[in-house]
Amino acid sequence: MIEVFPGVFKHGNHLFTRNRVKGKRVYGEKLVVVRGVEYREWNPYRSKLAAAILNGLSVMPITHNSNVLYLGAAQGTTVSHVSDIVVDGYIVAVEISPKAMEDFLLLAKRRDNIIPILGDANKPEMYEEYLDDINVIYQDVAQPNQTEILSKNARYLKHGYTMLCVKSRSIDVVKNPKKVFRESVSQLEASGLKTEQVVDLEPYEKDHAMIISHKD
Ligand SMILES: C[S@@+](CC[C@H](N)C(=O)[O-])C[C@H]1O[C@@H](n2cnc3c(N)ncnc32)[C@H](O)[C@@H]1O
């Protein structure tokens, strides 16, 4: 196992994180034990963050002491790996769907660094009391106004990084995805977020990119 970023491990072309909850799988992933440490395999077809890492993410803003605002938690597939990585930090995880939240709560109960919030990422004022010490915002909501949502939430970021998963078809079904990604970058720059990298997520996710930006 090679540690490619703090808390992120690679063996061959497979990614792993150290399991925070020994013996427990979250989405049927493989568990492996190496020298007494249990790791969970991280599937890039199920998690855009894993896809971005395998596709050459150069700076990994999420590290052992990050406090992450995660928008669009769904059932918690990616959140669970972020929870493995931020051993000394925490995740404020927002999800709008009560159905997805039901499953997500079972995960959050077992992982003491996750604060689950049933809420709308369009309205950060509803959960602003949790945002004081956030230093990374990760967003994966697949909505037409996804850059606007990120800009609204980034107002609560004093300084740090944002990671935006852009699904071009959610913004415009016919427009060339590369054009959609360029326009998203311009909108983020206009709101004070400076682009570090744009990572294409093919072949793991079609017409998706991750935009990594920072706020000084
Ligand atoms: C593509 S899925 C997220 C997958 C998840 N990030 C993962 O990798 O495990 C998008 C999620 O965003 C949620 N969502 C959509 N609009 C939202 C909003 N305005 N606020 C919060 N969550 C939202 C959806 O209900 C859905 O669960």
Side-chain angles (χ1 to χ4, degrees):
M1 287 273 182
I2 298 164
E3 193 167 19
V4 288
F5 292 118
V8 180
F9 301 83
K10 202 170 177 192
H11 181 71
N13 206 30
H14 298 267
L15 289 180
F16 296 84
T17 56
R18 264 193 211 111
N19 197 357
R20 189 176 179 93
V21 188
K22 261 200 182 156
K24 292 282 179 198
R25 290 181 174 79
V26 174
Y27 55 103
E29 71 279 19
K30 202 192 272 175
L31 302 181
V32 296
V33 178
V34 180
R35 281 184 225 105
V37 178
E38 187 178 271
Y39 297 84
R40 301 164 54 226
E41 189 168 358
W42 194 356
N43 185 341
Y45 291 95
R46 301 282 302 272
S47 169
K48 294 166 196 110
L49 183 50
I53 293 170
L54 288 178
N55 278 2
L57 181 72
S58 54
V59 174
M60 172 56 159
I62 301 174
T63 182
H64 63 96
N65 59 356
S66 299
N67 297 328
V68 181
L69 171 61
Y70 191 113
L71 305 170
Q75 285 80 6
T77 302
T78 300
V79 175
S80 69
H81 289 286
V82 174
S83 156
D84 286 344
I85 296 168
V86 301
V87 282
D88 299 319
Y90 57 83
I91 306 150
V92 175
V94 181
E95 171 54 52
I96 201 169
S97 154
K99 181 81 190 74
M101 184 49 80
E102 242 177 66
D103 297 334
F104 183 58
L105 283 177
L106 300 175
L107 175 85
K109 246 186 222 159
R110 283 208 294 265
R111 291 176 169 261
D112 59 3
N113 60 354
I114 299 176
I115 302 167
I117 293 179
L118 178 64
D120 182 353
N122 280 291
K123 298 177 181 155
E125 63 280 7
M126 304 299 280
Y127 46 84
E128 67 181 357
E129 72 259 42
Y130 298 99
L131 305 183
D132 277 353
D133 295 316
I134 292 297
N135 40 43
V136 181
I137 302 178
Y138 183 96
Q139 182 182 305
D140 180 17
V141 294
Q143 291 296 317
N145 66 334
Q146 45 203 332
T147 52
E148 186 200 342
I149 293 177
L150 182 62
S151 303
K152 277 188 197 170
N153 282 272
R155 281 186 211 132
Y156 295 86
L157 188 65
K158 289 173 196 106
H159 49 82
Y161 283 89
T162 62
M163 307 178 82
L164 173 65
C165 304
V166 182
K167 180 179 179 182
S168 77
R169 276 171 290 136
S170 294
I171 294 176
D172 192 320
V173 275
V174 290
K175 209 181 260 179
N176 179 323
K178 297 246 174 332
K179 192 158 188 241
V180 172
F181 302 150
R182 274 200 303 277
E183 287 171 2
S184 300
V185 164
S186 303
Q187 285 160 13
L188 295 178
E189 298 255 344
S191 71
L193 295 169
K194 294 182 192 141
T195 315
E196 288 265 329
Q197 196 184 1
V198 180
V199 184
D200 201 307
L201 301 187
E202 299 252 9
Y204 307 107
E205 291 279 357
K206 200 172 152 34
D207 299 335
H208 278 72
M210 186 178 290
I211 303 174
I212 295 91
S213 316
H214 72 270
K215 184 171 173 180
D216 297 328

